[in-house]
């Protein structure tokens, strides 16, 4: 019933904005078959990927770094001299193990510049350690230029692919890369491989070292341990084992070589200083002999010894300090000598300065690293220039530190000299000859102490060079994993499962996001408060779906619409019902025809007016031919009886066509003859259904609204634009059309649940024709193949 505002009892409350999980699931269940198909496809791709991917295994070995005794059985003094500190910097060891010079030695030892690959139909395999052929390089034109050969080989001979010329094993052949021989490897057969095509690849040492260095992964087991794990992921486990074992072996060998190099440089330095001290000591001893002969000094009075006791202690300290000063001067001379620019500096020859020793240790490590690069990569390596800058900078710092040490020693010696002078003042009575003798003996003692010290260090260095051992040892030989680490079946299938869900869900979401058509009932309810008086499913075939005795879904839906329309007409005795929409193609003519038919089936005389003058379809759908219609009647060219046509299929149903399309349809509807038309029709008919033009395009519906008691506004699923619902709400709020109700047309069955818009708001929408429910007629029988196709088509929407 209408209220004071002109609305009806069918008015809906404000729609709820809360999320409804059940509606959400029903909304997207239409995509479930596509989601299942995407999952099957993703898992199938994952299976193919796993089946035909090359398996990658992880090979791991362990290396123990001896932190407690880096230098074998050496004494503490010798250990300090060779810069072997107990505090191992494992980060440096990690860098050394993965450095290109060390990796390059591994590549040369194992011959990894040449790779042997067996070519398969789907994938190729590295056959290191099992290759039946071996390439011998007789002459290489350009060692930096990579190349590859593809060879078809058998037990007796071989030939290059795309070449029919057979070549015997061991016979030299020449091409643009150089001269080579292909040798047959004993005890290696050809029957173990998937094909007889082999690829031999050559890489220059620099690129091969870079690639292998990247493939190696070296890490510390934990922060408190000195054990390093060396791992490598490779398809050939024998290759991985050989590389890791050889790397640990070469690391130990290089460690020993570095220690021996330091010992060698130290002995050379000591030998040079011994020669110098020996000459100086001979000069002092000669001077002492001359002094004794010249002054005839044999022994001094016993009593003079009492004066010299304190003086002797001071001289002893002074002599020790002079030794330290001489060593500092020797080191400064050594560093300032251009010929020693990139040579190892012997350190701590009795000097105990904490600032100086770390600088010399770092300097020696940089010099050794530079020598290593010079031996492996040559002077063109950019790392050498960078290392030279660091070496020169450290040399300046060491020289500056030595100068500071020398200055502190000079101050100490000066104080000692003052003390000696003080003692000398107390022995002024000692004969000048005795004093001169003591001066010469003091110089002799200094030279003797220095000479003996250097002799001791020379012997220790020789012993150390002979007894040098590596500070590392292999804890565990390389061992390959039992199962491949790549491809990871679990992760591949998990990724396929996730992508198989996310990608289609993302596509579905984009489809829904880009869809600007009305597809769901809640979209209508959220945008407008106008009541929905009926919903009509998708119908194929004839325009007249409602006939006497019809039991189809669409016919029953129109019967429900007939009952609901009573709330809009408000029990008007002879109602005029206006049918319009927002745009063309939303099914106004179909709704008008079948609603008129369902009203006529009740025994009420019903007429349908084709007032969509611009685009008439009603008579065409009913297959009624008429040249005259409403426009002729309004213009006075014909009588009303001449344009009224009965519909043969339905009793009590009549239709009036629009007639010729006039040039001014909107003005024609304002003619007084239109008022006379509706007056006459009310006298003759019980129900008048007006099929008019879209209200969203022209004003015809508003002009005819003054004759109507109710308005059916058509919204077509998948056709009406969502933004046009705001226009519908505006019409309803402003009551521009009388007693407006919404009618949703062309509802398509979606998904295997076949519910209205995916969730079935009304029970009768949960059935489809041929469902066997007994409520609706089955229609035409289809063959088994057509039923199957319809079922499959329904599954995919």
């Amino acid at each position: 019933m209408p209220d004071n505002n002109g609305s009806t009892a069918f008015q809906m409350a404000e729609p709820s904005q809360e999320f409804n999980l059940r509606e959400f699931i029903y909304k997207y269940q239409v995509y479930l078959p596509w989601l299942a198909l995407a999952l099957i496809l993703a898992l199938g791709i994952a299976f193919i990927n796993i089946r035909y991917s090359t398996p990658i295994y992880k090979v791991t070995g362990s290396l123990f770094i001896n932190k407690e005794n880096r230098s074998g059985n050496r004494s503490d003094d010798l250990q300090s001299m060779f810069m072997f500190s107990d505090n191992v910097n494992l980060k440096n060891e990690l860098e050394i193990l993965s450095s290109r010079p060390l990796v390059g030695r591994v590549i040369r030892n194992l011959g990894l510049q040449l790779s042997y690959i067996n070519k398969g139909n789907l994938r190729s395999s590295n056959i290191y350690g099992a290759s039946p052929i071996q390439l011998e390089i007789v002459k290489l034109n350009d060692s930096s230029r990579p190349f590859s050969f593809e060879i078809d080989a058998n037990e007796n001979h071989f030939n290059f692919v795309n070449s029919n010329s057979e070549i015997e094993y061991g016979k030299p052949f020449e091409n643009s890369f150089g001269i080579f021989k292909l040798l047959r490897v004993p005890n290696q057969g050809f029957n173990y491989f998937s094909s007889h095509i082999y690829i031999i690849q050559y890489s220059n040492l620099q690129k091969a070292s870079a690639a292998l260095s990247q493939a190696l992964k070296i890490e510390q087991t934990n922060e408190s341990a000195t054990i390093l794990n060396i791992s490598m992921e490779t398809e050939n486990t024998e290759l991985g084992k050989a590389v890791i074992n050889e790397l640990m072996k070469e690391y130990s060998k290089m460690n020993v070589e570095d220690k021996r190099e330091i010992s060698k440089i130290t002995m050379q330095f000591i030998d040079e200083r011994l020669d110098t001290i020996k000459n100086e000591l001979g000069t002092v001893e000669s001077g002492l002999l001359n002094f004794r002969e010249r002054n005839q000094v044999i022994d001094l009075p016993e009593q003079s010894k009492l004066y010299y006791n304190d003086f002797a202690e001071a001289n002893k300290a002074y002599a020790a300090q002079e030794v330290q000063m001489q060593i500092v001067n020797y080191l400064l001379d050594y560093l300032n000598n251009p010929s020693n620019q990139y040579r190892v500096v012997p350190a701590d020859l009795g000097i105990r300065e904490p600032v100086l020793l770390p600088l010399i240790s770092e300097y020696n490590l940089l010099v050794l690293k530079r020598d290593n690069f010079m031996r492996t990569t040559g002077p063109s390596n950019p790392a050498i220039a960078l290392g030279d800058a660091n070496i020169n900078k450290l040399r300046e710092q060491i020289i500056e530190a030595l100068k500071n040490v020398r200055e502190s020693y000079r101050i100490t010696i000066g104080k000692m000299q003052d003390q000696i002078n003080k003692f000398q003042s107390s022995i002024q009575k000692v004969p000048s000859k005795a004093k001169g003798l003591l001066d010469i003996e003091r110089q002799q003692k200094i030279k003797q102490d220095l000479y003996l010290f250097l002799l001791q260090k020379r012997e220790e260095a020789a012993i150390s060079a002979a007894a040098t051992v590596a500070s590392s040892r292999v804890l565990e030989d390389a061992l390959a994993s039992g199962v491949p680490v790549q491809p990871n079946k679990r992760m591949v299938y998990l990724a396929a499962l996730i992508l198989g869900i996310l990608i289609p869900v993302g596509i579905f979401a984009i489809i829904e996001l880009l869809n600007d058509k009305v597809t769901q009932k809640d979209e209508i309810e959220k945008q407008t408060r106008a009541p929905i008086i009926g919903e009509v499913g998708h119908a194929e075939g004839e325009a007249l779906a409602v006939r006497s005795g019809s039991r189809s879904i669409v016919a029953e839906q129109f019967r429900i619409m007939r009952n609901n329309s009573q709330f809009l007409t408000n029990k008007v005795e002879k109602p005029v019902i206006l049918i319009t929409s927002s745009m063309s193609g939303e099914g106004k003519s179909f709704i008008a025809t079948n609603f008129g038919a369902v009203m006529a089936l009740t025994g009420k005389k019903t007429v349908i007016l084709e007032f969509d003058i611009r685009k008439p379809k009603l008579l065409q759908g009913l297959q009624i031919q008429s040249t005259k219609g409403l426009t002729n009647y309004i213009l006075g060219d014909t009588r009303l009886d001449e344009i009224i046509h009965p519909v043969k299929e339905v009793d009590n149903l009549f239709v009036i066509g629009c007639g010729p399309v006039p040039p001014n349809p909107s003005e024609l509807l304002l003619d007084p003859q239109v008022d006379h038309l509706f007056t006459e029709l009310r006298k003759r008919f019980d129900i008048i259904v007006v099929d008019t033009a879209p209200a969203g395009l022209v004003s015809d519906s508003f002009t005819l609204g003054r004759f109507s008691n109710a308005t059916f506004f058509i919204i077509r699923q998948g056709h009406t634009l969502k933004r046009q619902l705001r226009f519908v709400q505006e019409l309803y709020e402003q009551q521009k059309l009388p007693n407006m109700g919404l009618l949703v047309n062309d509802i398509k069955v979606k998904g295997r649940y076949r519910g209205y818009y995916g969730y079935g708001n009304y029970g009768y929408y949960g059935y489809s024709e041929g469902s066997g429910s007994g409520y609706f007629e089955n229609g035409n029988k289809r063959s088994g193949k057509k039923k199957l196709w319809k079922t499959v088509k329904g599954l995919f929407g």
Side-chain angles (χ1 to χ4, degrees):
M1 298 292 293
D3 58 16
N4 295 333
N5 296 326
S7 61
T8 71
F10 240 79
Q11 181 169 326
M12 315 260 318
E14 285 290 341
S16 173
Q17 300 296 326
E18 296 181 359
F19 177 77
N20 190 318
L21 179 61
R22 182 167 176 262
E23 292 184 3
F24 177 82
I25 294 174
Y26 283 151
K27 174 182 176 181
Y28 287 98
Q29 71 181 2
V30 65
Y31 297 115
L32 286 179
W34 291 107
L35 181 61
L37 181 63
L39 280 173
I40 293 172
L41 182 62
L43 293 175
I45 293 174
F47 173 78
I48 294 174
N49 176 266
I50 293 173
R51 173 65 179 81
Y52 295 106
S53 294
T54 301
I56 303 298
Y57 297 86
K58 185 175 183 179
V59 183
T60 306
S62 298
L63 183 68
F64 173 69
I65 306 296
N66 190 354
K67 179 179 179 180
E68 300 302 329
N69 187 11
R70 293 274 293 183
S71 55
N73 297 320
R74 298 168 182 164
S75 66
D76 293 338
D77 290 339
L78 193 58
Q79 184 174 348
S80 299
M81 181 173 67
F82 285 116
M83 298 294 106
F84 295 132
S85 172
D86 286 342
N87 297 321
V88 179
N89 189 340
L90 286 181
K91 292 184 178 179
N92 290 339
E93 307 304 317
L94 293 175
E95 294 297 326
I96 292 173
L97 279 166
S98 60
S99 63
R100 292 187 183 181
L102 182 59
V103 173
R105 292 169 67 163
V106 174
I107 291 174
R108 282 194 298 268
N109 293 347
L110 298 179
L112 297 183
Q113 288 181 259
L114 289 172
S115 301
Y116 299 89
I117 299 171
N118 180 243
K119 185 176 181 181
N121 294 327
L122 295 176
R123 66 186 184 193
S124 300
S125 303
N126 187 304
I127 55 174
Y128 173 86
S131 174
I133 56 176
Q134 180 179 355
L135 184 68
E136 178 183 332
I137 300 176
V138 179
K139 178 184 177 182
L140 202 60
N141 294 335
D142 186 358
S143 61
S144 64
R145 182 184 176 188
F147 61 84
S148 64
F149 299 147
E150 191 168 349
I151 293 173
D152 185 350
N154 55 40
E155 294 285 351
N156 301 318
H157 52 76
F158 70 94
N159 62 276
F160 291 97
V161 174
N162 301 326
S163 174
N164 295 325
S165 177
E166 295 181 350
I167 306 175
E168 295 180 1
Y169 290 114
K171 183 178 180 180
F173 61 89
E174 184 176 0
N175 53 30
S176 59
F177 302 106
I179 302 174
F180 308 92
K181 289 181 182 180
L182 191 65
L183 305 178
R184 180 74 170 84
V185 178
N187 302 324
Q188 297 289 356
F190 290 87
N191 299 328
Y192 302 104
F193 304 105
S194 58
S195 75
H196 49 82
I197 304 299
Y198 299 87
I199 301 174
I200 303 175
Q201 296 177 341
Y202 170 83
S203 301
N204 62 57
L205 183 61
Q206 185 175 1
K207 290 184 178 180
S209 301
L212 185 55
S213 178
Q214 291 292 327
L216 289 169
K217 184 178 181 181
I218 306 170
E219 56 189 359
Q220 188 177 357
T221 55
N222 58 66
E223 293 295 332
S224 59
T226 59
I227 297 175
L228 303 180
N229 281 342
I230 306 173
S231 61
M232 176 182 176
E233 292 185 359
T234 175
E235 64 174 294
N236 190 313
T237 56
E238 294 301 320
L239 172 62
K241 292 177 184 178
V243 167
I244 293 177
N245 289 333
E246 187 68 20
L247 180 68
M248 293 189 291
K249 176 182 176 183
E250 284 298 317
Y251 171 77
S252 299
K253 186 185 295 184
M254 187 177 71
N255 187 271
V256 172
E257 291 174 355
D258 291 344
K259 293 177 182 179
R260 288 178 176 172
E261 180 66 20
I262 294 176
S263 298
K264 179 181 177 181
I265 298 299
T266 303
M267 287 189 292
Q268 291 177 355
F269 172 80
I270 292 175
D271 289 340
E272 293 174 0
R273 300 313 306 160
L274 280 174
D275 292 339
T276 302
I277 297 301
K278 183 178 180 181
N279 294 331
E280 292 177 355
L281 181 59
T283 302
V284 172
E285 290 178 343
S286 298
L288 177 60
L289 180 61
N290 293 333
F291 181 85
R292 286 180 178 276
E293 292 177 349
R294 185 174 63 252
N295 296 284
Q296 297 182 354
V297 175
I298 300 175
D299 194 5
L300 292 174
E302 190 68 22
Q303 66 272 16
S304 64
K305 294 181 180 179
L306 297 175
Y307 297 102
Y308 294 134
N309 286 336
D310 295 338
F311 183 73
E313 292 296 328
N315 277 334
K316 183 178 180 181
Y318 182 88
Q321 196 64 43
E322 278 289 334
V323 171
Q324 298 289 323
M325 176 68 78
Q326 289 291 333
I327 293 174
V328 171
N329 289 331
Y330 293 153
L331 289 175
L332 282 171
D333 294 339
Y334 182 85
L335 288 170
N336 289 321
N337 190 343
S339 62
N340 299 325
Q341 184 176 7
Y342 297 115
R343 298 179 66 184
V344 176
V345 177
D348 196 15
L349 299 175
I351 300 176
R352 303 298 181 188
E353 295 297 326
V355 177
L356 185 62
L357 294 180
L359 292 175
I360 296 177
S361 176
E362 186 177 0
Y363 179 88
N364 287 343
L365 289 176
L366 290 175
V367 169
L368 290 174
K369 187 175 181 181
R370 180 185 184 276
D371 292 343
N372 195 8
F373 278 119
M374 290 292 291
R375 291 195 302 270
T376 57
T377 61
S380 61
N381 191 333
I384 293 179
L386 179 61
D388 290 348
N390 293 332
I391 290 172
N392 293 331
K393 182 178 179 181
L394 275 175
R395 185 189 301 108
E396 296 296 330
Q397 293 177 2
I398 293 172
I399 292 173
E400 186 65 27
L402 286 172
K403 289 180 179 179
N404 293 334
V405 171
R406 185 175 62 182
E407 183 62 26
S408 65
Y409 285 178
R410 183 179 291 112
I411 294 172
T412 302
I413 290 173
K415 291 180 180 180
M416 290 181 176
Q417 186 65 52
D418 293 338
Q419 191 176 16
I420 291 173
N421 293 336
K422 182 179 178 181
F423 292 150
Q424 284 179 336
S425 64
S426 63
I427 55 174
Q428 293 178 355
K429 296 180 180 180
V430 177
S432 59
K433 294 181 180 180
K435 182 177 178 296
L437 179 62
L438 289 175
D439 288 339
I440 296 174
E441 289 178 345
R442 183 178 61 185
Q443 293 295 326
Q444 181 188 25
K445 182 173 179 55
I446 291 173
K447 300 299 182 182
Q448 285 178 345
D449 290 345
L450 184 58
Y451 185 78
L452 293 175
F453 175 79
L454 291 176
L455 280 177
Q456 179 186 358
K457 293 302 180 183
R458 174 66 173 79
E459 190 64 23
E460 290 177 355
I463 296 173
S464 299
T468 299
V469 295
S471 58
S472 64
R473 64 182 176 86
V474 176
L475 186 63
E476 289 183 359
D477 287 329
L479 182 65
S481 59
V483 295
V485 295
Q486 293 180 14
N488 188 324
K489 292 185 180 180
R490 181 178 298 178
M491 294 303 298
V492 170
Y493 280 122
L494 180 60
L497 186 63
I498 294 174
L499 293 177
I501 294 175
L502 291 182
I503 292 177
V505 167
I507 294 174
F508 302 155
I510 292 173
I511 290 174
E512 292 292 334
L513 183 65
L514 297 179
N515 179 32
D516 61 348
K517 305 292 195 309
V518 175
T519 57
Q520 299 179 17
K521 184 176 182 179
D522 62 347
E523 294 173 348
I524 302 173
E525 293 174 340
K526 289 178 181 178
Q527 294 292 329
T528 177
R529 298 177 59 189
I532 299 176
I533 63 169
E535 295 152 320
V536 179
H538 179 73
E540 297 180 0
E542 299 178 355
L544 187 60
V546 178
R547 293 182 174 85
S548 177
S550 174
R551 293 174 55 205
S552 67
I553 294 178
V554 175
E556 292 301 324
Q557 289 170 336
F558 275 102
R559 290 186 177 98
I560 294 174
M561 188 194 313
R562 178 180 62 194
N563 295 332
N564 293 339
S565 66
Q566 296 176 10
F567 294 97
L568 295 181
T569 58
N570 197 19
K571 296 184 180 181
V572 175
E573 183 177 356
K574 293 185 177 181
V576 177
I577 298 175
L578 182 71
I579 297 179
T580 187
S581 66
S582 59
M583 58 190 295
S584 179
E586 291 180 310
K588 297 185 304 299
S589 299
F590 175 77
I591 297 298
T593 301
N594 288 279
F595 182 74
V598 78
M599 296 302 291
L601 291 177
T602 62
K604 294 183 180 181
K605 196 175 182 181
T606 305
V607 65
I608 305 173
L609 306 184
E610 190 180 31
F611 259 115
D612 191 353
I613 300 175
R614 293 171 177 81
K615 200 172 181 181
K617 293 182 180 179
L618 196 145
L619 292 185
Q620 180 182 354
L622 294 173
Q623 297 181 356
I624 297 176
Q625 302 294 329
S626 176
T627 59
K628 294 184 179 181
L630 291 170
T631 55
N632 301 98
Y633 176 79
I634 295 172
L635 294 173
D637 295 340
T638 185
R639 294 181 299 108
L640 184 59
D641 293 334
E642 295 179 2
I643 61 175
I644 298 176
H645 304 282
V647 178
K648 297 178 181 180
E649 292 88 346
V650 182
D651 295 337
N652 296 319
L653 181 61
F654 300 87
V655 64
I656 301 176
C658 72
V661 178
N664 55 345
S666 298
E667 288 74 13
L668 184 66
L669 297 180
L670 298 174
D671 193 286
Q673 188 68 9
V674 177
D675 298 65
H676 184 265
L677 171 66
F678 279 96
T679 301
E680 288 296 321
L681 291 176
R682 282 192 175 97
K683 294 177 181 179
R684 301 187 183 192
F685 297 95
D686 299 318
I687 304 293
I688 301 174
V689 180
V690 181
D691 176 20
T692 185
L697 300 178
V698 294
S699 62
D700 296 7
S701 299
F702 305 108
T703 302
L704 296 172
R706 58 194 178 94
F707 304 107
S708 306
N709 303 107
T711 304
F712 291 176
F713 198 98
I714 311 299
I715 295 176
R716 183 176 178 181
Q717 180 194 15
H719 188 81
T720 303
L721 299 176
K722 293 179 182 179
R723 63 175 180 270
Q724 292 174 333
L725 295 177
R726 293 194 295 268
F727 171 68
V728 174
Q729 176 62 13
E730 180 183 345
L731 294 180
Y732 180 74
E733 288 180 347
Q734 299 178 7
Q735 300 182 19
K736 293 183 177 181
L737 294 173
N739 291 336
M740 190 175 78
L742 304 182
L743 197 153
V744 185
N745 184 31
D746 198 22
I747 298 172
K748 295 182 176 64
V749 177
K750 290 187 177 182
R752 60 188 180 94
Y753 295 99
R754 302 184 181 276
Y756 170 43
Y757 295 13
Y759 55 87
N761 292 58
Y762 299 95
Y764 52 84
Y765 293 147
Y767 301 95
S768 64
E769 294 186 20
S771 64
S773 64
Y775 284 95
F776 308 108
E777 60 189 14
N778 292 332
N780 297 330
K781 301 293 182 179
R782 290 182 171 88
S783 66
K785 291 184 178 180
K786 290 185 178 180
K787 287 183 179 180
L788 178 61
W789 168 245
K790 183 178 179 181
T791 302
V792 174
K793 186 177 179 182
L795 284 175
F796 292 94

